[in-house]
Amino acid sequence: MMSYEFLQQYWWLLVSLLGALLVFLMFVQGANSMIFQLGWNAESRRMIVNSSGRKWEFTFTTLVTFGGAFFASFPLFYSTSFGGAYWLWMLILFTFVLQAVSYEFQNKIGNLLGPKTFQTFLVINGLVGPLLLGGAVATFFEGSNFIVAKENLISSPIITDGVGAPIISSWANASHGLDALLNPWVLVLGLAVMFLAQVLGTLYIINNVDNEDIRSRASVRLVGAAVPFLIFFVTYLVHLLLIEGYAYDDTGVIFMKPYKYLHNFIDMWYLTVILLIGVVLVLYGVGKTVVSKTYIKGIWPAGIGVVLVVLVLLLCAGWNNTAYYPSTADLQSSLTLKNSCSSEFTLRTMFWVSLLIPFVLAYIIYAWRAIDKKKITSDEIQQDGHAY
């Protein structure tokens, strides 16, 4: 018999897995950010755009699914973060909308702005999107400025424009999420994710574009992205292991615990093992690609490694009696798996629905292989009437 606690842990695992897959799929943004660095003329830039353009739907769909899963399983987080920090999330959404428009219109007849303008929009998406998403993930550890008042559900509702609207959570300042970017540690993790996206983007271009000049440029750029990524990531990881964390006891009272995340890695040693495996896979994928001029499959070990590392970090943010969305305005408003989840009936019902996930993943793998059946070449771009 599945307990309520098991269902909470299970759904945090699924949400964390979706978040990890989203970070991996941001190789699309990473490739976009380097269009002008890897492409020296219109034809080479178009090859890069079509390489990433064949996968952008996967990233956007995963982002939407990630938000939907959070809404269904932990609705209080959804209302607090997506509803309170809406300026931050609106900026993220805007960059993705900008991406979709840029793919579709850059080579359309009647495009008065020219292809370079829309390619510049793709570069903006490639830089800003990962930076902001990485910053949003950092708030799981650094905290956000919000207040939760569940008693408003049973007290007199706040009347807005004549309509009863009981407000459970609210932002404690007028920035609505943008204040997170003032925290230097949020920016450190955001920059780590941005450079990680570029690492994955170069690995994907090397694997997917059959052009020696582009692959040569990408190999050089890979080193330029991997070094700052490692610096920012290791810096943030050390910071995470040394700071106080947000813990809660059996009664639900939240308190600050020294070295909380270090204790999480010790208590959940199996996650530490997975983290180390993930790091090794990332280093192997990058290192072998740099050393060997003929090795083009680095995206796969590195991609699997990224999924494992991000999955472990997100699990450490929520498991082992940890508040996964801390409040810097009111400690007891911090969100935990227990105080922010859906009802047991909802989680149990969705559990059975989640058993369909392997079939969805099988279809994604099939579609991916079908799309990548042929490598991107100059001739294919010229002959494909549906190319971007």
Side-chain angles (χ1 to χ4, degrees):
M1 187 67 177
M2 295 178 293
S3 66
Y4 195 16
E5 182 179 1
F6 167 80
L7 291 170
Q8 293 165 352
Q9 304 285 333
Y10 172 78
W11 275 101
W12 183 252
L13 171 63
L14 288 188
V15 169
S16 298
L17 180 58
L18 284 171
L21 290 173
L22 176 60
V23 173
F24 161 65
L25 289 170
M26 294 192 74
F27 69 78
V28 172
Q29 277 63 42
N32 288 343
S33 69
M34 297 178 292
I35 291 174
F36 296 106
Q37 293 174 299
L38 303 182
W40 61 95
N41 56 28
E43 182 180 274
S44 58
R45 288 192 290 270
R46 196 176 182 196
M47 291 170 66
I48 296 167
V49 168
N50 276 271
S51 178
S52 65
R54 295 183 178 185
K55 299 297 189 304
W56 76 268
E57 291 95 340
F58 289 106
T59 309
F60 191 79
T61 301
T62 304
L63 175 63
V64 174
T65 306
F66 174 72
F70 242 135
F71 171 73
S73 53
F74 301 99
L76 189 53
F77 168 81
Y78 191 90
S79 65
T80 301
S81 180
F82 290 88
Y86 56 79
W87 281 122
L88 178 61
W89 288 107
M90 284 297 291
L91 280 176
I92 294 173
L93 181 60
F94 174 75
T95 63
F96 278 89
V97 172
L98 194 65
Q99 176 196 56
V101 171
S102 299
Y103 276 126
E104 295 298 331
F105 288 96
Q106 60 183 288
N107 287 304
K108 290 289 185 182
I109 298 176
N111 173 16
L112 300 178
L113 299 178
K116 276 193 175 182
T117 300
F118 287 103
Q119 289 169 1
T120 301
F121 290 160
L122 289 177
V123 173
I124 294 173
N125 164 256
L127 295 174
V128 178
L131 176 66
L132 294 182
L133 275 173
V137 171
T139 61
F140 286 178
F141 305 102
E142 304 300 325
S144 294
N145 206 0
F146 64 90
I147 298 174
V148 174
K150 289 186 177 180
E151 61 271 15
N152 285 346
L153 283 174
I154 56 177
S155 61
S156 300
I158 298 174
I159 305 299
T160 304
D161 296 330
V163 180
I167 298 176
I168 303 174
S169 55
S170 59
W171 218 250
N173 57 43
S175 70
H176 292 290
L178 295 180
D179 54 311
L181 300 178
L182 298 177
N183 184 333
W185 290 111
V186 169
L187 292 177
V188 167
L189 187 57
L191 288 169
V193 173
M194 185 188 76
F195 284 112
L196 173 61
Q198 291 190 344
V199 169
L200 295 173
T202 33
L203 290 173
Y204 180 74
I205 292 297
I206 290 172
N207 176 258
N208 191 245
V209 178
D210 189 6
N211 183 283
E212 289 303 320
D213 289 332
I214 290 179
R215 284 176 174 171
S216 178
R217 286 171 174 250
S219 296
V220 175
R221 183 57 197 143
L222 178 59
V223 177
V227 171
F229 159 66
L230 289 173
I231 293 174
F232 283 116
F233 177 73
V234 171
T235 300
Y236 190 81
L237 186 60
V238 172
H239 160 75
L240 188 64
L241 296 176
L242 297 179
I243 62 173
E244 285 187 314
Y246 297 78
Y248 63 94
D249 57 24
D250 293 336
T251 64
V253 175
I254 299 164
F255 61 95
M256 301 302 297
K257 181 176 180 178
Y259 306 107
K260 170 59 177 169
Y261 301 107
L262 175 60
H263 285 295
N264 281 0
F265 281 112
I266 295 173
D267 295 340
M268 299 183 289
W269 58 267
Y270 47 90
L271 292 185
T272 304
V273 173
I274 296 174
L275 176 69
L276 293 175
I277 293 173
V279 170
V280 170
L281 286 172
V282 173
L283 294 176
Y284 173 80
V286 174
K288 188 169 182 179
T289 303
V290 172
V291 172
S292 175
K293 293 183 179 180
T294 59
Y295 184 70
I296 65 172
K297 297 182 179 180
I299 181 63
W300 301 119
I304 294 172
V306 166
V307 171
L308 294 179
V309 170
V310 177
L311 175 63
V312 168
L313 290 177
L314 291 178
L315 290 178
C316 281
W319 281 1
N320 200 35
N321 286 11
T322 309
Y324 70 87
Y325 198 49
S327 171
T328 56
D330 174 31
L331 187 61
Q332 300 309 314
S333 291
S334 302
L335 302 187
T336 69
L337 299 188
K338 290 185 177 181
N339 68 17
S340 65
C341 67
S342 294
S343 67
E344 183 175 1
F345 173 78
T346 301
L347 295 183
R348 190 179 301 276
T349 302
M350 293 194 307
F351 170 83
W352 298 110
V353 176
S354 71
L355 297 181
L356 296 174
I357 290 177
F359 298 97
V360 176
L361 290 176
Y363 173 77
I364 291 174
I365 293 172
Y366 169 78
W368 186 294
R369 290 175 62 90
I371 292 172
D372 278 358
K373 193 173 183 180
K374 292 183 179 181
K375 301 293 185 184
I376 298 292
T377 63
S378 178
D379 292 338
E380 184 183 357
I381 295 299
Q382 298 295 335
Q383 296 170 8
D384 188 357
H386 298 287
Y388 292 115

